[in-house]
Amino acid sequence: MQEYVELGEELVFVAMGVASVIALAVFAERLIYYKRTLGKKNEAYLSEVRNSLQEEPEIHWKTDAGEESIYNRFIQFALKQLKLGRKGLDESLEGQILSEKLELEKRLPILNTLGNNAPFIGLLGTVLGVIKAFYGLGTLGSSGAEVVMRSISTALLATAAGLAVAIPVVMANNYFSRKAKVILQNLEILKKELLSYQMNKTKV
């Protein structure tokens, strides 16, 4: 049994290492994506578009945000759909929002899964370490105190490793989820303003 317990301990630490690498890769990919689609000029461009809706939209909407902007992409898509009726424009923009949502939330479930399960994997390592410690205590008696202490130390290290992976992963997931929520809310606002503009233009 001792061999299986030691193997289990090793697998726990390997799993922690793999989880940390995956989490770091996802974090880096999402950070690059958000920085690329939400550049420095993005908020200014959003304000410009919203203000221009009450002035001369066709002129201002064609102004590029200066980079690959999610709002610019949404506006350029809306420009092509203005010829549709109100219902068609509504459904078209809603579909675009859902498409952007999929991109914004892409790979975030990986962070969520790692953040939720890393502490449990660490706890498994702790349990295995405690089993190993008691097994050593039972077979070696008081003479095996050093082995027992080393096993308990390894067990606690497994818990620490699980928390060390989980805490930053949960923070990263919350950060990206919050950003995605704000962006989607802004797109919903833009959609309503575009529909209002389209309706007023139709009346005229």
Side-chain angles (χ1 to χ4, degrees):
M1 184 186 75
Q2 188 77 345
E3 293 79 8
Y4 292 113
V5 172
E6 291 179 356
L7 177 61
E9 278 187 310
E10 291 179 7
L11 290 176
V12 165
F13 284 105
V14 169
M16 287 292 100
V18 171
S20 61
V21 170
I22 293 174
L24 187 61
V26 172
F27 175 78
E29 187 275 334
R30 287 289 86 188
L31 188 63
I32 292 172
Y33 171 79
Y34 275 78
K35 288 193 72 172
R36 189 176 70 246
T37 59
L38 294 172
K40 296 179 180 179
K41 299 180 181 180
N42 205 58
E43 293 299 324
Y45 177 72
L46 177 62
S47 299
E48 178 187 349
V49 168
R50 294 189 62 188
N51 291 333
S52 70
L53 281 169
Q54 301 174 8
E55 298 171 3
E56 298 178 86
E58 290 87 353
I59 297 175
H60 294 279
W61 291 354
K62 294 178 185 292
T63 303
D64 197 309
E67 47 195 300
E68 183 67 19
S69 162
I70 192 169
Y71 297 134
N72 182 47
R73 187 163 59 241
F74 185 77
I75 291 300
Q76 297 306 319
F77 176 82
L79 275 172
K80 300 174 183 177
Q81 309 300 319
L82 283 178
K83 57 186 177 182
L84 301 175
R86 179 179 174 80
K87 183 177 179 181
L89 181 61
D90 187 5
E91 294 178 352
S92 180
L93 294 180
E94 186 63 31
Q96 183 66 12
I97 290 176
L98 290 175
S99 176
E100 296 293 352
K101 181 180 180 180
L102 289 175
E103 282 298 317
L104 289 169
E105 296 179 350
K106 190 176 182 181
R107 297 189 180 88
L108 292 188
I110 297 176
L111 293 180
N112 188 45
T113 301
L114 292 177
N116 288 334
N117 291 285
F120 294 107
I121 298 175
L123 182 60
L124 175 61
T126 300
V127 172
L128 292 174
V130 171
I131 292 173
K132 181 180 177 182
F134 278 109
Y135 182 83
L137 186 62
T139 56
L140 300 175
S142 58
S143 62
E146 183 180 344
V147 175
V148 172
M149 291 299 103
R150 193 160 54 241
S151 298
I152 292 176
S153 175
T154 303
L156 295 176
L157 186 60
T159 299
L163 293 175
V165 172
I167 292 173
V169 166
V170 169
M171 292 175 64
N173 184 57
N174 290 341
Y175 171 76
F176 290 125
S177 296
R178 175 60 184 168
K179 266 193 167 301
K181 184 177 180 181
V182 171
I183 294 167
L184 292 172
Q185 286 176 340
N186 284 334
L187 291 181
E188 286 288 346
I189 293 171
L190 272 177
K191 186 189 83 167
K192 292 181 184 298
E193 292 179 344
L194 285 163
L195 289 172
S196 177
Y197 165 77
Q198 198 267 355
M199 183 174 65
N200 291 335
K201 186 176 180 181
T202 302
K203 289 181 179 179
V204 174

